[in-house]
Amino acid sequence: MMADNSTEDLHAPGSQLSVIDIVVIAVYFALNVAVGIWSSCRASRNTVSGYFLAGRDMTWWPIGASLFASSEGSGLFVGLAGSGAAGGLAVAGFEWNATYVLLALAWVFVPIYISSEIVTLPEYIQKRFGGQRIRMYLSVLSLLLSVFTKISIDLYAGALFVHICLGWNFYLSTVLTLFITALYTIAGGLATVIYTDALQTVIMVVGAVILAIKAFDQIGGYGQLEAVYARAIPSRTIANTTCHLPRADAMHMFRDPHTGDLPWTGMTFGLTIMATWYWCTDQVIVQRSLSARNLNHAKAGSILASYLKMLPMGLMIMPGMISRALFPGLRGLMIAVMMAALMSSLTSIFNSSSTLFTMDIWRHLRSCAGERELLLVGRLVIVVLIGVSVAWIPILQGSNGGQLFIYMQSVTSSLAPPVTAVFILGIFWRRANEQGAFWGLMAGLVVGATRLVLEFLHPAPPCGDPDTRPAILRSIHYLHFAIALFVLTGAVVAARSLLTAPPQQVQIENLTWWTLARDLSLGAKAGDSQTPQKHLFWARVCGFNAVLLMCVNIFFYAYFA
């Protein structure tokens, strides 16, 4: 039976939970606390490497699970389902594109990061180019993006979901989540975060599978999806427009480059630029790969995460499309899945932000700081981040959820491409120097910030109203803008580098793809007891799986193109 799709009382709290719902939620929290305590007890928490990089001794399966869980925050969980409901399948490109970038992370970026013996990504940039100003800029930029986009979106989506399902106060929902999340993040460091992320991944996947099966069962199977979606017309529409109606290209991944909501050109090139920033140059993600026991474990972790990133199409986006007509139950399981998504992303952000501030900013301000002081500062930073998050709640409460998702995409497309350009040129072009990198970042910041300001001054008009925004907003999709910004930054870096002195040899050796020690290809590291033959065998296993993964990805792209 079709439900009324009007949006009245959208934020009204739902009915009371059943006993089964309460049991499911209680079991979830009990498991979470148990794994947090267990991993905190076994983690090496008293050294900088142990606390921030899990002693560089993590195996592949928790790394892969943590990469997936860290990226699937509650904001993305809600965003994928909501975007699927609004626009169809194309949003899956945001997940499937990660396959190629995750493989680039493991095969290209991580070997260079490991050889440079870094803890943070801005630290690599300092070693590669010299000087402090780029390192400080990237550290501050990462912290600001974490607080004002990642934490904001995840807190809003997660707390609002709990508020609707349980009827709890918005503040209570947020503060309780922050408290539980911070408890084991502060205590155990990265190792605890990674192991609890592995638990959250199992809960998210199992819960999403159950919910997806129930959703498809309600409509009579996958074969009925297109017909059910096409008939899911809202009770309120705008005359003589297609506003709020199901899209005609809802079942297509590749859409028109001019009229499509997610043009294939932007999803192929612009999204890859933004995804490279997220997966290969952002501390939240790369920190997990840096904790790997050796390079083969980092590669296997990326492959596992890539396979998991293929799932949201069937587990989140298609159920979101079905939700236009049906609203499946299983409320307790839905809350457990949402809390898993929220807590996994928050722990990852808290830990990586703590690492950035402690190792890049505090150690610069106090070069004489010892390990005990650094560990104390790292824990205190998490407490401060919690305070900032709570202070941000009134702004989130007064904001519209859809506007927040648009805001996050706009910020990323305006600020991330210059960072991607500098990392790629730093790794693949030996002639790139500090002068070029700095002024390229500044040029990209000015252009990106200009568009960002224009977007806030001229928000998109409601569907059906004439679009009177400036041409840069009206005519250029944000994914196409990301391509232009990337090219502009690269051109400034190249021009300025060629006009100034080349970098010193110490800034190139083992810090670019062309000067990397080739023995890293086996994946071994000093002190590793495994034989070169065994490393070579597992390297080949990883290589085979990488090829297989790309074949699976290409098949799905072609099937839904």
Side-chain angles (χ1 to χ4, degrees):
M1 183 178 183
M2 297 296 174
D4 183 5
N5 287 296
S6 65
T7 57
E8 293 179 11
D9 300 323
L10 181 63
H11 293 176
S15 59
Q16 294 298 313
L17 294 175
S18 68
V19 174
I20 296 177
D21 291 332
I22 294 172
V23 169
V24 169
I25 296 170
V27 169
Y28 163 71
F29 278 111
L31 280 172
N32 205 61
V33 171
V35 171
I37 294 173
W38 169 78
S39 54
S40 295
C41 292
R42 73 189 300 271
S44 174
R45 299 171 291 165
N46 299 319
T47 65
V48 169
S49 176
Y51 187 79
F52 293 121
L53 287 178
R56 298 184 189 268
D57 196 39
M58 272 289 161
T59 52
W60 64 274
W61 65 267
I63 291 174
S66 184
L67 286 170
F68 174 76
S70 299
S71 67
E72 299 295 329
S74 56
L76 187 60
F77 214 95
V78 171
L80 286 175
S83 297
L89 300 180
V91 72
F94 285 91
E95 298 293 284
W96 290 356
N97 182 274
T99 294
Y100 306 99
V101 187
L102 272 165
L103 295 180
L105 168 67
W107 266 263
V108 177
F109 289 83
V110 168
I112 294 170
Y113 294 153
I114 290 176
S115 73
S116 59
E117 299 180 339
I118 59 166
V119 176
T120 69
L121 276 301
E123 184 181 359
Y124 165 75
I125 288 295
Q126 183 190 22
K127 287 189 173 185
R128 172 62 181 86
F129 293 117
Q132 279 282 349
R133 57 184 181 176
I134 301 180
R135 180 178 183 177
M136 295 300 292
Y137 167 74
L138 292 179
S139 298
V140 172
L141 179 65
S142 296
L143 288 170
L144 291 176
L145 286 174
S146 292
V147 172
F148 295 111
T149 60
K150 298 174 186 175
I151 294 177
S152 302
I153 296 295
D154 288 337
L155 273 181
Y156 181 88
L160 183 61
F161 186 88
V162 173
H163 167 67
I164 292 171
C165 289
L166 299 181
W168 291 1
N169 178 273
F170 194 86
Y171 280 91
L172 175 63
S173 305
T174 309
V175 172
L176 180 64
T177 303
L178 285 170
F179 175 77
I180 296 173
T181 301
L183 202 60
Y184 58 80
T185 308
I186 293 172
L190 182 61
T192 301
V193 171
I194 288 178
Y195 280 116
T196 51
D197 277 356
L199 170 67
Q200 316 288 19
T201 296
V202 173
I203 292 169
M204 278 192 283
V205 172
V206 172
V209 166
I210 294 173
L211 295 170
I213 290 173
K214 183 172 176 63
F216 278 110
D217 181 63
Q218 291 287 316
I219 65 168
Y222 171 75
Q224 300 298 316
L225 174 61
E226 186 171 3
V228 168
Y229 184 78
R231 292 196 304 268
I233 299 173
S235 57
R236 296 179 182 177
T237 59
I238 300 175
N240 302 317
T241 72
T242 58
C243 295
H244 312 310
L245 299 178
R247 293 183 61 90
D249 57 1
M251 302 302 291
H252 299 285
M253 289 288 295
F254 289 174
R255 299 182 178 176
D256 190 275
H258 301 292
T259 61
D261 59 332
L262 294 172
W264 74 265
T265 46
M267 292 294 285
T268 303
F269 303 108
L271 179 58
T272 300
I273 293 168
M274 293 163 62
T276 302
W277 165 77
Y278 181 78
W279 290 103
C280 301
T281 73
D282 187 51
Q283 185 70 24
V284 174
I285 296 299
V286 178
Q287 193 167 340
R288 277 125 195 80
S289 295
L290 292 179
S291 71
R293 181 172 295 172
N294 56 48
L295 189 54
N296 282 336
H297 280 278
K299 290 178 177 179
S302 283
I303 290 170
L304 173 60
S306 296
Y307 277 119
L308 291 171
K309 294 294 280 185
M310 298 296 293
L311 299 178
M313 167 70 99
L315 302 186
M316 300 178 198
I317 295 165
M318 289 182 179
M321 296 173 67
I322 296 171
S323 73
R324 284 183 70 109
L326 303 172
F327 299 93
L330 301 177
R331 182 178 302 178
L333 184 60
M334 290 173 69
I335 293 174
V337 170
M338 180 58 67
M339 294 303 292
L342 173 61
M343 295 177 74
S344 62
S345 59
L346 284 181
T347 55
S348 302
I349 296 165
F350 286 155
N351 183 262
S352 62
S353 299
S354 167
T355 306
L356 279 171
F357 182 86
T358 304
M359 304 306 293
D360 289 337
I361 297 176
W362 186 261
R363 199 163 62 170
H364 174 65
L365 297 174
R366 280 185 53 81
S367 56
C368 60
E371 277 205 339
R372 180 172 294 184
E373 179 180 337
L374 293 174
L375 291 171
L376 176 62
V377 169
R379 290 179 166 100
L380 289 176
V381 167
I382 297 175
V383 176
V384 172
L385 280 174
I386 293 170
V388 172
S389 302
V390 173
W392 196 242
I393 294 174
I395 300 173
L396 296 178
Q397 246 184 328
S399 301
N400 176 278
Q403 289 175 345
L404 279 175
F405 286 116
I406 295 170
Y407 152 77
M408 183 177 180
Q409 292 172 341
S410 301
V411 170
T412 303
S413 65
S414 298
L415 300 180
V419 179
T420 305
V422 165
F423 269 87
I424 288 180
L425 287 173
I427 287 173
F428 289 106
W429 191 38
R430 284 180 283 191
R431 186 62 176 78
N433 61 18
E434 196 272 349
Q435 286 283 323
F438 178 76
W439 290 110
L441 283 172
M442 291 302 102
L445 175 64
V446 169
V447 176
T450 300
R451 178 182 167 103
L452 202 56
V453 170
L454 288 174
E455 287 200 1
F456 283 114
L457 293 177
H458 304 279
C463 186
D465 289 1
D467 193 343
T468 58
R469 295 177 298 165
I472 191 175
L473 302 180
R474 185 177 65 252
S475 305
I476 303 177
H477 193 278
Y478 70 89
L479 289 172
H480 291 155
F481 177 77
I483 300 172
L485 189 57
F486 175 83
V487 172
L488 171 68
T489 303
V492 173
V493 173
R496 184 67 178 173
S497 295
L498 291 173
L499 293 172
T500 52
Q504 302 174 12
Q505 185 62 28
V506 70
Q507 295 169 348
I508 298 176
E509 193 65 34
N510 282 332
L511 295 172
T512 74
W513 178 251
W514 313 110
T515 59
L516 184 65
R518 292 298 104 183
D519 57 0
L520 270 172
S521 61
L522 287 178
K525 70 178 182 181
D528 201 320
S529 59
Q530 293 189 9
T531 62
Q533 291 79 10
K534 191 168 185 179
H535 278 295
L536 183 59
F537 169 76
W538 287 113
R540 287 172 176 168
V541 170
C542 290
F544 170 78
N545 273 279
V547 173
L548 176 63
L549 176 66
M550 287 190 286
C551 291
V552 171
N553 186 276
I554 291 169
F555 169 79
F556 277 111
Y557 261 117
Y559 183 81
F560 290 105

